[in-house]
Amino acid sequence: MTFHVDIVSAEHEIFSGSAQMVFAPAEMGELGITPRHAPLLTRLKPGSVRVKTDADEQVFFVSGGILEIQPHVVTVLSDTAVRARDIDEAAALEAKRRAEEALANQTAEVDIVRAQTELAEALARLRTLEHIRKTLGGH
Amino acid sequence: METAIDMANAKEIRTQIKSIRSTQKITKAMEMVAASKMRKVQTRMAASRPYAEKMRKVISHLAKANPEYRHPFMLEREVKRVGFIIIATDRGLCGGLNVNLFKTAILALRDWRGKHAEADFCVLGAKAIAFFRRVGGKVLAQATHLGDTPHVNDLVGTVKVMLDAYRAGEVDRVFLVNNVFVNTMSQKPSVIQLLPIQGIEDPELQAHWDYIYEPEARELLDSVLTRFVESQVYQGVVENVACEQAARMVAMKSASDNAGDLINSLQLAYNKARQASITKELAEIVGGAAAV
């Protein structure tokens, strides 16, 4: 008897197929899952997920994520990197700081772009003036 | 005297042609770069879809289950303030892609202002930052230079700022504004509601069961729903990159075509000016000879 297993991460699909048994590093301890398991939702620790198919056993590393078990479907939503409360917190602070900085800092890149267009405009205007002066002076 | 002017004219036209030709070379190169990148970002867009789908499925199971605990991300509340996560590009030269997006965002914003709700923003992409600096608006967090291969990790911080604002009750609804890739010729700006999570139904499942949660539901649901929102935003970012490349390809193609037309008409003008100067020179010589 087999059931369907999907292992995906936000950036790509890792495994999709049927299996006899799946082992996953759940937060509360290693889980061995066979078909007709009760519905369960849990977080995963960094570790390896082993999928036992008819032919062989495949091993996938996950850096954490979510495991959902339905009687005939197991879904592993793998994270793309190790997640922890303090790491997320630091990332959020960084994003905030960037916003404050960009709004305060008037010499940021976007202003350089604007300055460049203004410079180009001014140069074009000068060239036109010079051209007019030349053609008028020629007579 | 007049001959000299014609010659000067012809020379000027020639330098003009030269400068347009070098611009055309650049736009053509950009067009080709965008075309080759587009294939890659399209596969990336397809690769990130399974996760979003599976996530959606899990969430729909959650919504249908009969849990002892309801997470605030799934509960409607009175709207006093809204949050927008806006995804634009880092670079320009991609036609009206960003402008159309901002127009849509401003319309949505005006709509909410009409209902007496102010807005906070989290922005992704340098163009969005430039826009909000000009227009004004409270930007809570930002991230730029995600590149052509964006990673979920680069978004986590920005998304978290908005989620924290929602948790703290500072915003009561969160929207995602980004371009949706229809096809190479067409990209459509869209506004979708991220929080509270809504409208996910799965008719297959009955509502008389609940998950076993490990650890407890409150903490677990928080991680699941956070990842759900992150995956939605990530999908938006990847899609926006595809839109950017497609829009740039089309914009650069028409720029190259326009440059070609311009060169043709200038070439014609150049030939005329050159011919005119030769004719005049001849006429002067003939006139001079006749006078002798």
Side-chain angles (χ1 to χ4, degrees), chain A:
Chain A
M1 195 171 168
T2 59
F3 58 151
H4 192 78
V5 181
D6 286 308
I7 305 178
V8 290
S9 83
E11 289 166 21
H12 57 277
E13 189 168 47
I14 298 165
F15 176 85
S16 177
S18 58
Q20 289 178 333
M21 197 163 174
V22 175
F23 301 92
E27 214 173 47
M28 315 288 278
E30 178 96 1
L31 278 180
I33 307 141
T34 48
R36 293 199 190 152
H37 195 288
L40 181 140
L41 198 61
T42 183
R43 267 199 306 242
L44 294 177
K45 286 187 300 193
S48 50
V49 174
R50 287 183 294 144
V51 181
K52 218 168 125 184
T53 61
D54 290 332
D56 57 352
E57 189 175 290
Q58 295 188 43
V59 183
F60 306 95
F61 177 78
V62 294
S63 45
I66 308 283
L67 173 71
E68 192 222 16
I69 304 174
Q70 291 283 344
H72 296 289
V73 186
V74 171
T75 310
V76 177
L77 300 161
S78 159
D79 288 342
T80 47
V82 177
R83 299 286 296 271
R85 192 165 295 229
D86 46 345
I87 298 177
D88 288 3
E89 196 66 50
L93 286 177
E94 176 66 19
K96 267 189 192 165
R97 188 192 59 72
R98 280 196 302 261
E100 281 153 17
E101 206 169 72
L103 291 175
N105 189 359
Q106 288 299 320
T107 56
E109 197 183 341
V110 269
D111 285 325
I112 293 175
V113 172
R114 197 193 293 168
Q116 275 169 341
T117 36
E118 272 167 22
L119 180 68
E121 253 177 48
L123 281 177
R125 214 167 288 149
L126 271 179
R127 258 202 307 268
T128 330
L129 274 177
E130 220 161 273
H131 174 78
I132 291 170
R133 200 171 300 145
K134 229 192 256 166
T135 41
L136 288 181
H139 281 283

Side-chain angles (χ1 to χ4, degrees), chain A residues 6 9-12 27 39-43 68 70 79 81 83 91-92 95-96 98-99 102 110-111 131 138, chain B residues 1 12 47-48 51 54 61 130 133 140 142-143 145 151-153 157 161 211-212 214-215 219-220 223 227 230 234:
Chain A
D6 286 308
S9 83
E11 289 166 21
H12 57 277
E27 214 173 47
L40 181 140
L41 198 61
T42 183
R43 267 199 306 242
E68 192 222 16
Q70 291 283 344
D79 288 342
R83 299 286 296 271
K96 267 189 192 165
R98 280 196 302 261
V110 269
D111 285 325
H131 174 78
Chain B
M1 194 69 239
E12 215 160 80
S48 71
Y51 185 89
K54 295 288 177 298
H61 291 171
R133 183 187 296 158
L140 298 179
Q142 59 133 313
H145 300 99
H151 293 292
V152 182
N153 276 6
V161 171
Y211 284 108
I212 306 168
E214 283 181 15
E219 211 181 313
L220 187 60
S223 345
R227 278 172 179 76
E230 280 166 7
Y234 177 73

